């Protein structure tokens, strides 16, 4: 599809260009190949059948969320902001809300989790931090109230075991083999979106 609809000079990956209407297609393919619809490791046949049945049954908007989940970032810098589905979005002083359709995950960065454990949110002078903790939980409840089947609700902290529900969905731009950079490291051997796009462009322009 990319070789058919893209503009490029044969055998020149740097010339590869997709039209704006088609530009998001490769990243949806990237996330689809990593999703539970195609990756059946650690899934029973019943689970795989259930996920695929729901994908076929739901409308386009919900199906797109299943393939490429939505991520919101909450911080002291302002209202919630859409965040890239990337390991670079994981910051110690932010809270992330991930909606995969089947799971709704509230993920506390390392610093926010430490402040919560020290009960800063119970002190009147830290009302802003209390509001920061409550905002993603309220938004998560709104999502669950308007969805059937009701998604699993997960509250987790950075570096804890249940953080895997978020980390497994992120583009692993920073892994244990990477050097430098911000964000959190994802322990995986899977390729990042950048590497995926580089190989896609090479294949698409081959004459």
């Amino acid at each position: 599809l990319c070789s058919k609809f893209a503009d490029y000079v044969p055998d020149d990956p740097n010339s590869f260009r997709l039209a704006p209407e088609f530009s998001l297609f490769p990243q949806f393919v990237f996330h689809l190949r990593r999703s539970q619809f195609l990756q059946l490791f650690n899934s029973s046949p019943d689970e795989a059948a259930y996920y695929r049945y729901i994908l076929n049954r739901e409308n386009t908007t919900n199906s797109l969320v299943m393939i490429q989940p939505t991520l919101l970032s909450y911080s002291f810098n302002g209202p919630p902001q859409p965040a890239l589905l990337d390991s670079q979005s994981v910051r110690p002083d932010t809270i992330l809300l991930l909606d995969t359709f089947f799971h709704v995950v509230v993920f506390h960065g390392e610093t926010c989790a430490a402040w919560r454990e020290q009960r800063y949110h119970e002190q009147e002078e830290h009302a802003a931090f209390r509001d920061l903790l409550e905002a993603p939980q309220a938004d998560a409840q709104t999502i669950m109230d308007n969805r059937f089947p009701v998604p699993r609700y997960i509250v987790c902290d950075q570096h804890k075991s249940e953080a895997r529900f978020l980390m497994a969905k992120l583009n692993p731009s920073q892994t244990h083999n990477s050097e430098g950079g911000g964000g959190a490291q994802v322990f995986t051997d899977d390729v990042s979106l950048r590497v995926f796009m580089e190989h896609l462009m090479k294949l698409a322009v081959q004459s």
Side-chain angles (χ1 to χ4, degrees):
L1 281 175
C2 286
S3 61
K4 182 177 181 180
F5 291 103
D7 295 321
Y8 58 88
V9 177
D11 299 320
D12 182 9
N14 294 325
S15 66
F16 183 88
R17 296 291 183 275
L18 281 170
E21 299 83 1
F22 212 66
S23 60
L24 295 178
F25 177 72
Q27 73 184 47
F28 276 98
V29 173
F30 171 77
H31 289 291
L32 176 62
R33 61 181 283 278
R34 302 179 73 228
S35 71
Q36 66 269 33
F37 303 114
L38 298 182
Q39 295 291 337
L40 303 182
F41 177 76
N42 209 28
S43 292
S44 70
D46 287 349
E47 285 178 306
Y50 168 75
Y51 288 138
R52 291 173 177 177
Y53 168 75
I54 296 295
L55 176 67
N56 290 326
R57 189 181 73 103
E58 286 295 330
N59 58 37
T60 302
T61 301
N62 287 339
S63 297
L64 291 176
V65 171
M66 295 180 207
I67 294 171
Q68 180 171 310
T70 60
L71 189 67
L72 285 176
S73 177
Y74 298 75
S75 70
F76 292 113
N77 299 326
Q81 297 290 331
L84 291 174
L85 200 63
D86 191 286
S87 59
Q88 299 280 349
S89 297
V90 177
R91 301 288 179 183
D93 58 347
T94 61
I95 300 174
L96 299 176
L97 174 61
L98 177 74
D99 179 14
T100 73
F101 188 87
F102 300 105
H103 301 88
V104 174
V105 183
V106 176
F107 175 94
H108 300 94
E110 190 173 13
T111 302
C112 289
W115 289 346
R116 188 198 64 227
E117 292 301 316
Q118 295 173 25
R119 300 184 180 277
Y120 284 175
H121 58 289
E122 297 179 359
Q123 301 173 17
E124 226 23 74
E125 60 268 29
H126 296 297
F129 179 55
R130 181 174 63 248
D131 294 341
L132 180 65
L133 288 177
E134 292 174 352
Q137 295 181 18
D139 291 344
Q141 189 61 53
T142 301
I143 292 172
M144 292 187 291
D145 288 344
N146 293 288
R147 181 169 297 160
F148 182 83
V150 178
R152 179 180 173 185
Y153 180 48
I154 300 165
V155 179
C156 60
D157 299 336
Q158 189 175 0
H159 306 309
K160 297 297 177 65
S161 62
E162 287 196 320
R164 69 186 185 277
F165 286 97
L166 179 131
M167 302 303 293
K169 294 295 183 180
L170 300 181
N171 167 38
S173 58
Q174 284 292 119
T175 70
H176 54 290
N177 295 319
S178 304
E179 294 182 3
Q185 289 187 340
V186 180
F187 292 89
T188 180
D189 292 324
D190 199 3
V191 299
S192 66
L193 178 59
R194 181 181 60 81
V195 174
F196 174 79
M197 284 299 300
E198 288 173 354
H199 284 275
L200 177 67
M201 290 187 291
K202 288 179 183 176
L203 289 172
V205 302
Q206 283 181 355
S207 57

